[in-house]
Amino acid sequence: MKYNFDEIIERRNSNAMNTDGWRAYIFGAPDDAVFPYADDEYVRMWVADMEFAVCPEIIDAMQERLNKRIFGYTKIFDKEYYETFAAWCDKMYGWVPKKEHLFTSPGIIPALYELVEFLTEPDEKVLIMTPSYAFFMHAIDHSNRTMVCSDLINDRGNYSIDFEDFEAKAKDPKVKLCIFCNPHNPSGRVWTEEELKRVGQICKENDVWLISDEIHCDLLRTGVRHTPMAKVMDWDKVITCMAPTKTFNIAGLQISHIMIQNPDLIKIWNAQHFTSENPLSIAASQAAYGKGGEWLAELKLYLDGNFKFLEDFLKENLPEAVYKIPDATYLAWVDVSAYLPDEDLPMFFANNAGVLLEGGNMFVQNSDGYIRLNLAMQRSVLEEGLKRIAEAIKNKK
Ligand code: LCS
């Protein structure tokens, strides 16, 4: 390996959400709430960022930009930025967004907040699939729109879309928008082309705008390919969201790509979205897509190893847990209901294992009994976290 994913990086005193924001985010608790473990004793397997150092090619590009010593108002003017991203899309997905369809946002979540408002009226509804990343719900709630959930079918950890239910809900004339997660967080499903086409077709037939949030599209098991919704659905009401932030561990730099095709929506976006771009983020994003391929390939191998490690660990220590190595994300979605049928799972593990994780109804609905483990960490830390989880479950029995 050229890059060292075993190196433990100190994150304290960096205003990291991961180390300092868990009380509020997971437990809705104040910053000074007392827990049985000291902050630096916790193994943190929660928020979706990684414990790995950012690839040096990105840091070098940021350094080069720092050396220019002025950080005035900035926008992406250099056409190389688009060309670099387009080349990445072509290589990775065999699909290239048009330059005139590429817009930026500080994040996909802020863009979702805006798009819900742009695309729906106050009495209208937004369709999501559950379990779901909770910010889909928050984006809907923020504008006081009504959320409609279509539960995924869960066959012992194998998730699929309940097309009958999804179609019935899409037919509701008040449903005007679907926020779709491709690949899916938290299950890690990479949808097949057939599934994508069916979702797209149902939305098109019912004139439901379709936002395909593809932020996890580069975090795949080695050998797996991503298919953008817009590649299989030639329909201008498909909006594609991608970002270098999750893949390259630069979420704090706040840059994402929103691909909008529909001319009317482009007009609204241009009129109402305030575009501001950060010079360091532009440098980082361009370096990620231009020079980060080798780092990503090695990251994926390391993550493949962590998923296998978890599989072996569960077989040996918690055989009644239901788990399947996902095709995408660095998040493991594990059903522990056989052991802990009635617990508040994040609280149980924070109090009894010294492990911070998300689970249960943090994923909107259809997620009871599940914990989500962020595996993007050094194997030694992962091993410690898993030992503690198994130990806490054993002690409970
Ligand atoms: N969309 C999905 C599906 C995500 O999983 C996340 C981050 C985002 C958007 C965030 O996009 P941003 O605004 O940063 O561009 N997911 C997280 C998660 O599951 N836990 O912590 C963050």
Side-chain angles (χ1 to χ4, degrees):
M1 286 257 203
K2 176 170 162 191
Y3 303 99
N4 180 9
F5 295 96
D6 285 320
E7 183 191 356
I8 296 188
I9 311 288
E10 175 61 80
R11 298 187 74 177
R12 279 174 304 180
N13 302 316
S14 68
N15 290 310
M17 194 58 194
N18 196 318
T19 54
D20 293 7
W22 56 271
R23 283 179 175 75
Y25 187 98
I26 308 178
F27 303 110
D31 286 349
D32 55 359
V34 177
F35 279 76
Y37 291 78
D39 280 32
D40 58 5
E41 288 171 346
Y42 275 106
V43 174
R44 293 169 278 102
M45 307 178 87
W46 70 290
V47 64
D49 62 17
M50 304 194 264
E51 293 299 307
F52 307 124
V54 169
C55 86
E57 288 78 358
I58 293 180
I59 294 176
D60 289 348
M62 293 176 76
Q63 189 63 57
E64 225 173 88
R65 181 62 191 82
L66 277 174
N67 292 345
K68 295 187 195 290
R69 298 188 299 163
I70 294 178
F71 310 101
Y73 294 115
T74 304
K75 249 174 93 71
I76 298 170
F77 295 108
D78 184 354
K79 66 180 181 353
E80 249 184 63
Y81 184 92
Y82 166 76
E83 284 162 7
T84 306
F85 177 57
W88 177 272
C89 291
D90 193 22
K91 182 171 169 212
M92 304 302 257
Y93 333 122
W95 167 83
V96 180
K98 291 201 172 108
K99 187 166 187 293
E100 61 271 27
H101 294 162
L102 177 64
F103 300 88
T104 62
S105 163
I108 291 177
I109 297 310
L112 292 183
Y113 276 61
E114 291 176 294
L115 288 166
V116 167
E117 200 137 318
F118 297 163
L119 298 174
T120 62
E121 296 297 328
D123 66 332
E124 291 176 339
K125 302 178 185 174
V126 182
L127 179 56
I128 63 171
M129 292 180 189
T130 35
S132 169
Y133 175 49
F135 272 88
F136 287 8
M137 173 176 74
H138 299 326
I140 299 165
D141 286 350
H142 179 76
S143 301
N144 278 318
R145 305 316 196 236
T146 303
M147 176 175 72
V148 178
C149 297
S150 179
D151 282 347
L152 295 173
I153 297 167
N154 176 8
D155 177 15
R156 286 197 59 78
N158 294 298
Y159 280 83
S160 57
I161 295 166
D162 184 343
F163 281 105
E164 226 172 88
D165 180 71
F166 180 73
E167 184 164 21
K169 285 170 176 162
K171 278 185 189 303
D172 177 345
K174 287 285 181 196
V175 169
K176 297 291 184 197
L177 167 65
C178 170
I179 308 177
F180 179 68
C181 200
N182 171 36
H184 183 254
N185 174 13
S187 74
R189 261 306 308 274
V190 165
W191 309 111
T192 64
E193 276 196 37
E194 270 52 54
E195 287 170 313
L196 293 170
K197 279 184 194 155
R198 245 178 119 179
V199 168
Q201 212 47 49
I202 289 170
C203 288
K204 191 173 177 182
E205 277 162 21
N206 295 286
D207 202 25
V208 171
W209 286 86
L210 178 53
I211 299 177
S212 187
D213 179 344
E214 307 191 358
I215 196 167
H216 295 275
C217 66
D218 296 311
L219 290 160
L220 307 171
R221 298 296 78 73
T222 301
V224 176
R225 294 272 294 178
H226 169 69
T227 307
M229 175 63 86
K231 183 179 176 182
V232 297
M233 273 308 291
D234 185 15
W235 181 44
D236 79 354
K237 290 191 172 177
V238 174
I239 300 158
T240 308
C241 305
M242 290 180 174
T245 48
K246 200 148 298 280
T247 313
F248 292 98
N249 209 19
I250 52 174
L253 294 178
Q254 298 187 302
I255 185 163
S256 67
H257 299 140
I258 313 298
M259 273 74 79
I260 306 174
Q261 310 172 63
N262 180 278
D264 295 329
L265 182 59
I266 290 175
K267 269 190 214 138
I268 297 173
W269 180 272
N270 282 332
Q272 297 192 41
H273 171 83
F274 178 72
T275 300
S276 71
E277 284 151 356
N278 177 316
L280 290 176
S281 309
I282 296 170
S285 177
Q286 189 166 334
Y289 288 122
K291 299 178 181 160
E294 197 182 347
W295 182 90
L296 177 60
E298 290 195 2
L299 168 76
K300 292 201 297 192
L301 289 175
Y302 196 89
L303 291 173
D304 291 347
N306 279 2
F307 277 104
K308 181 76 178 76
F309 184 86
L310 174 61
E311 183 175 69
D312 294 343
F313 183 92
L314 291 176
K315 269 190 197 144
E316 174 126 7
N317 298 284
L318 295 170
E320 289 174 57
V322 180
Y323 161 74
K324 183 178 172 288
I325 296 179
D327 279 335
T329 77
Y330 46 67
L331 308 163
W333 186 238
V334 186
D335 180 356
V336 293
S337 59
Y339 298 105
L340 302 168
D342 307 311
E343 298 290 332
D344 172 339
L345 296 168
M347 192 59 98
F348 174 82
F349 289 105
N351 283 336
N352 299 293
V355 172
L356 299 173
L357 53 77
E358 298 181 42
N361 65 6
M362 291 183 77
F363 296 90
V364 184
Q365 68 176 41
N366 194 26
S367 50
D368 287 354
Y370 270 81
I371 53 174
R372 194 190 71 171
L373 304 177
N374 179 342
L375 303 195
M377 60 176 58
Q378 294 71 26
R379 193 130 336 132
S380 57
V381 185
L382 174 62
E383 190 173 357
E384 174 64 20
L386 295 180
K387 272 190 200 151
R388 291 186 191 186
I389 286 172
E391 199 61 30
I393 288 178
K394 274 183 205 133
N395 290 341
K396 160 90 181 150
K397 278 182 149 183

